[in-house]
Amino acid sequence: ADSGAPQRALWFVGRIATPIIETPAFLNQLSVQPPEIQRRWPVKKSQLAQTTLLDGLDFKKWAPGGEGVYSVRVSKSRRAHLRFDSLTQGWFAERIGNHASMGHGK
């Protein structure tokens, strides 16, 4: 019998179908980002709801962040880290900042 796991894996990678919950720490970090980044973030969330496969998003697993952590490009110099909670099936925006502060190098 087919467990359905491959279909879930494809959905999981393909888009974020539930609202992304912004943690208080994320909102604090977002509030000190340049206005352009504050404007881009809602656009990126909307794009992720459609597909995670857009080249400009550079959506990928972020192993240094731990289990279920993913990274998304907000701008050329900024990234956000999202965590997928497998128990609640929810997505949480946890961090946003420049590449260096997020552990992505320079």
Side-chain angles (χ1 to χ4, degrees), residues 29-43 74:
Q29 292 171 358
L30 181 62
S31 73
V32 298
Q33 297 300 312
E36 174 192 348
I37 301 305
Q38 293 180 33
R39 286 190 300 272
R40 282 177 177 244
W41 172 242
V43 174
V74 179

Side-chain angles (χ1 to χ4, degrees), residues 70-90:
Y70 293 78
S71 178
V72 63
R73 181 185 295 131
V74 179
S75 76
K76 193 172 186 175
S77 64
R78 298 289 197 281
R79 295 197 72 88
H81 288 174
L82 310 177
R83 180 180 302 275
F84 178 72
D85 183 323
S86 60
L87 292 177
T88 65
Q89 300 291 295

Side-chain angles (χ1 to χ4, degrees), residues 2-90:
D2 181 15
S3 69
Q7 289 81 10
R8 278 196 304 275
L10 289 174
W11 165 85
F12 182 78
V13 170
R15 70 186 184 109
I16 296 178
T18 59
I20 296 171
I21 298 165
E22 296 159 334
T23 64
F26 178 89
L27 291 172
N28 285 340
Q29 292 171 358
L30 181 62
S31 73
V32 298
Q33 297 300 312
E36 174 192 348
I37 301 305
Q38 293 180 33
R39 286 190 300 272
R40 282 177 177 244
W41 172 242
V43 174
K44 298 302 176 176
K45 284 196 310 183
S46 178
Q47 290 173 334
L48 289 166
Q50 301 299 313
T51 180
T52 60
L53 303 176
L54 287 175
D55 283 342
L57 292 174
D58 191 28
F59 183 79
K60 59 189 175 189
K61 280 188 80 66
W62 182 244
E67 183 69 27
V69 175
Y70 293 78
S71 178
V72 63
R73 181 185 295 131
V74 179
S75 76
K76 193 172 186 175
S77 64
R78 298 289 197 281
R79 295 197 72 88
H81 288 174
L82 310 177
R83 180 180 302 275
F84 178 72
D85 183 323
S86 60
L87 292 177
T88 65
Q89 300 291 295

